[in-house]
């Protein structure tokens, strides 16, 4: 029971963590990327559709990542080149993805409801022998997909890129004090543009991690995960491992919601609200603590 | 002048995107385009329904305008609209032997208060602990939409209804129809009056002045002796209150009951309406009519041809992209200079 709950937690965490790692880059460059939700949604549709059409998971994931990065590039051009308000452009990204995915599914697949892609290859679960036989926690240790491993691996990779490379150092300086960064010759524009694209790549992976295991797409299937990821970025305080912990908490909230849906009679819609309540409470606690520590100084 | 030009250009480019999408995906693009542009004006039914669509958008547009004027991003409009309508309707269903006009007024006040209360939470969290109101209002909204759905699917569902919806309120409570056979109702006059009132209040009242100052420069506002925190909370509350009323007016005018998800999109489109109108409460009216025209045009066209009604959403999203692109004019000017 505990092992299986932990397993669900990690599976639910993966899309959030992937998107949040992307959001971390835009956050470090000094911008709040509220378009994560739309980028995830776009990739959720494109990845499973292309995987279904080509019979290749890899091509599917790549196509999803490209579609999400395209939205990210549009966001970058509008907010950086055309000086549009970055929040408004983020909203545009979300609305465009919501409209475009339903439009495309109607046009390409001929239906606007839930689409099951029977031809899409399965995202197989990797079962490590023996580990699964360990009592209580065995279920927690094995049976994950490539996407789950990728999310954890990328967290470590992001940590090294952000804290151990000169690129990471420059990126953080742009976000922290862009005037000083500019004065020593670091290009704000280039770093922010790149950060948008990186956030698109990660959000694209997050969207693929959502639809590929289900081999299905339904309009609005991200259901606020992009926003939850955004809060994970805020709570992670610029550190990929902080983002990981925050994403884990939100994964657990989703797992609670899922488990209760299976074992109790509580209306499912009421349980769907749980992750949002947990996210909101976490954000308030974070803000109160930051507020208090600032007052003490 | 320059701003008007940007607004017009935004609309033109977004329409061009829509025309392109129709041309690429429709098997009879000529027909589809004809119905898209002329459909809403074909008869009283289509025309009236287009205006009806604009009614809640005017209110959510005003709601977004007020919050944005104080530099507060209220992204929770969707939940405020929905929950305001649910609260008002449920009260309306339980108020038995009271005069109809009293019930009508009471439930509008309740929806107003409920929407305002919801948004005020985010305003308070921002003022007190600097919780980002953009994210908090959105999370509250997601929570409430799910709770509202649960209410309409469970305890308040009318078992005789074929879909998740409450029972009908007394038909005498509903706003009179003013253009048969369409849904257009007298709520239009109420909404227009509110728009004028908000315009005057923002221009000439003390609170309006404080909201404008706080929005343009927070530290100057504090320096000028304005209680900035109070203004932010109030602006959020008024914004949410108008959103709650938007849902209620739609229920009283069109549906007579709350249906699950009936107001989906009212909030987001209200934000776009406010941005096109550049936060001017009077300009919110034509902007809302334009948005209603896009949705109605796409609907009528998809009714007669194979066009997808989602075209409207793509055009609306394009408007969102373009509407605050301040660099657009200079960009195009440079292009012209470069090519000539």
């Amino acid at each position: 029971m505990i092992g299986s709950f932990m397993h669900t937690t990690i599976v639910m965490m993966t899309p959030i963590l992937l998107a949040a790692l992307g959001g971390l880059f835009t956050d470090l460059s000094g911008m709040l990327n509220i378009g994560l939700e739309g980028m995830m949604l776009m990739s959720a549709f494109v990845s499973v559709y292309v995987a279904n059409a080509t019979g290749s998971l890899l091509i599917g994931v790549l196509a999803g990542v490209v579609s999400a990065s395209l939205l990210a590039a549009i966001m970058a051009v509008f907010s950086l080149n055309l000086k549009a308000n970055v929040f408004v452009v983020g909203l545009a990204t979300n609305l465009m993805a919501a409209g475009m995915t339903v439009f495309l599914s109607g046009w390409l697949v001929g239906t606007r409801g839930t689409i099951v892609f029977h031809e899409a290859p399965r995202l197989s679960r990797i079962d490590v022998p023996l580990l699964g036989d360990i009592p209580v926690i065995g279920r927690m240790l094995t049976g994950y997909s490539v996407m789950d491993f990728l999310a954890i691996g990328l967290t470590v990779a992001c940590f090294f890129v952000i804290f151990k490379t000169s690129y990471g150092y420059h990126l953080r300086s742009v976000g922290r004090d862009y005037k000083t960064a500019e004065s020593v010759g670091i290009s704000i524009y280039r770093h922010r543009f790149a950060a948008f694209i990186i956030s698109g790549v990660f959000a694209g992976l997050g969207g693929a991690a959502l639809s590929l295991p289900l081999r299905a797409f339904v309009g609005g299937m991200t259901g606020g995960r992009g926003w939850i990821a955004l809060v994970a970025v805020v709570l992670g305080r610029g550190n990929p491992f902080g983002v990981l912990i925050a994403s884990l908490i939100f994964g657990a909230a989703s797992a609670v919601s899922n488990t209760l849906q299976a074992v109790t009679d509580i209306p499912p819609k009421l349980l769907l609200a749980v992750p949002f309540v947990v996210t909101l409470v976490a954000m308030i606690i974070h803000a109160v603590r930051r507020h208090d520590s600032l007052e003490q100084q | 002048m320059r701003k008007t030009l940007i607004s017009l250009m935004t609309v033109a480019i977004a329409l061009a995107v829509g025309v392109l999408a129709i041309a690429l995906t429709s098997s009879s693009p000529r027909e589809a385009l004809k119905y898209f542009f002329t459909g809403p004006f074909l008869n009283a039914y289509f025309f009236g329904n287009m205006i009806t669509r604009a009614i809640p958008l005017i209110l959510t547009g005003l709601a977004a305008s007020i919050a944005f004027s104080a530099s507060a991003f209220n992204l929770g409009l969707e939940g405020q609209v929905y929950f305001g309508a649910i609260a008002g309707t449920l009260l309306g269903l339980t108020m038995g032997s009271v005069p109809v006009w009293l019930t009508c007024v009471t439930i509008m006040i309740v929806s107003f208060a409920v929407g305002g209360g919801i948004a005020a939470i985010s305003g308070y969290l921002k003022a007190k602990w600097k919780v980002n109101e953009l994210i908090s209002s959105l999370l509250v909204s997601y929570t409430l939409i799910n709770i509202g759905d649960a209410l309409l699917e469970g305890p308040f569902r009318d078992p005789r209804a074929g879909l998740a919806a409450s029972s009908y309120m007394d038909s005498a409570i509903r706003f009179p129809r003013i253009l048969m056979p369409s849904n257009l109702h007298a709520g239009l006059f109420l909404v227009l009056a509110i728009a004028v009132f908000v315009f005057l209040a923002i221009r000439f009242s003390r609170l309006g002045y404080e909201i404008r100052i706080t929005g343009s420069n927070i530290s100057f506002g504090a320096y000028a002796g304005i209680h900035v925190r109070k203004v932010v909370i109030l602006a959020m509350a008024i914004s949410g209150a108008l959103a709650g009323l938007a849902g209620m007016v739609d229920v009283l005018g069109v549906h007579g009951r709350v249906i699950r998800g009936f107001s989906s999109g009212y909030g987001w489109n209200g934000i776009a309406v406010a941005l096109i109108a550049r936060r001017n409460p009077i300009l919110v009216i034509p902007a809302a009519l334009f948005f209603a025209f896009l949705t109605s045009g796409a609907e009528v066209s998809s009714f007669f041809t194979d066009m997808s009604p989602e075209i409207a959403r793509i055009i609306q999203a394009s408007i969102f992209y373009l509407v605050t692109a301040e660099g657009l004019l200079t960009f195009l000017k440079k292009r012209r200079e470069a090519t000539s």
Side-chain angles (χ1 to χ4, degrees), chain B residues 285-306:
Chain B
I285 299 167
L289 283 169
F290 174 65
F291 256 65
F293 161 74
L294 290 178
T295 313
S296 288
E299 189 186 82
V300 175
S301 188
S302 69
F303 190 65
F304 289 114
T305 68
D306 65 342

Side-chain angles (χ1 to χ4, degrees), chain A residues 32 34 37 71 74 78 82-85 87-89 91-93 95-96 98-100 102-103 107 112 223-224 227 230-231 267 269-270 272-273 276-277 279-280 283-284 287-288 290-291, chain B residues 24-25 73 75 125 128-132 134-136 138-140 142-143 146-147 149-150 153 260 268 271 275 308-311 313-314 317-318 320-328 331:
Chain A
L32 192 66
I34 66 172
E37 174 87 6
L71 281 180
I74 294 173
F78 271 93
L82 298 179
K83 310 277 183 273
N85 180 313
F87 296 137
V88 176
V89 178
L91 290 184
T93 306
L95 290 181
M96 184 55 97
M100 192 60 101
V102 179
F103 174 75
W107 185 43
R112 293 188 171 78
W227 291 94
L230 197 63
V231 178
K269 279 284 169 70
L270 220 49
L272 280 178
F276 298 112
V277 175
T279 309
L280 180 67
M283 196 171 78
I284 294 171
V288 171
R290 193 189 49 195
H291 185 263
Chain B
L24 286 175
T25 59
F73 272 84
L75 291 195
L125 290 172
K128 178 96 179 160
W129 293 299
K130 296 204 169 104
V131 178
N132 187 327
L134 183 148
I135 301 177
S136 78
L138 188 104
L139 290 174
V140 170
Y142 265 120
T143 307
N146 280 314
I147 293 176
D149 283 353
E153 285 167 12
R260 181 183 59 198
W268 297 121
I271 292 173
L275 292 168
S308 156
E310 272 73 38
I311 287 286
R313 296 172 67 179
I314 291 171
S318 307
F320 249 105
Y321 274 120
L322 293 158
V323 77
T324 62
E326 299 289 341
L328 199 60
F331 176 74

Side-chain angles (χ1 to χ4, degrees), chain A residues 84-124:
Chain A
N85 180 313
V86 68
F87 296 137
V88 176
V89 178
L91 290 184
T93 306
N94 296 338
L95 290 181
M96 184 55 97
M100 192 60 101
T101 47
V102 179
F103 174 75
L104 286 177
S105 71
W107 185 43
L108 297 172
V109 194
T111 170
R112 293 188 171 78
T114 308
I115 313 162
V116 181
F117 291 90
H118 296 287
E119 307 294 316
R122 281 180 195 282
L123 189 65
S124 56

Side-chain angles (χ1 to χ4, degrees), chain B residues 190-258:
Chain B
L190 174 72
V191 165
L192 292 177
I194 292 175
V196 173
F197 178 79
V198 170
F199 174 77
L200 295 174
I202 287 277
R203 276 290 150 89
F204 302 112
S205 79
R206 175 157 180 84
L207 180 64
Y209 166 78
E210 290 181 342
I211 285 178
R212 279 182 290 131
I213 296 291
T214 306
S216 59
N217 189 334
I218 256 196
S219 30
F220 177 74
Y223 180 71
I226 294 171
H227 197 325
V228 173
R229 291 180 175 188
K230 194 188 78 184
V231 171
V232 168
I233 297 174
L234 269 176
M236 282 295 278
I238 298 171
S239 169
L242 289 173
L245 191 61
M248 199 66 247
V249 166
D250 204 45
V251 166
L252 284 171
V254 181
H255 312 289
R257 57 177 175 169
V258 265

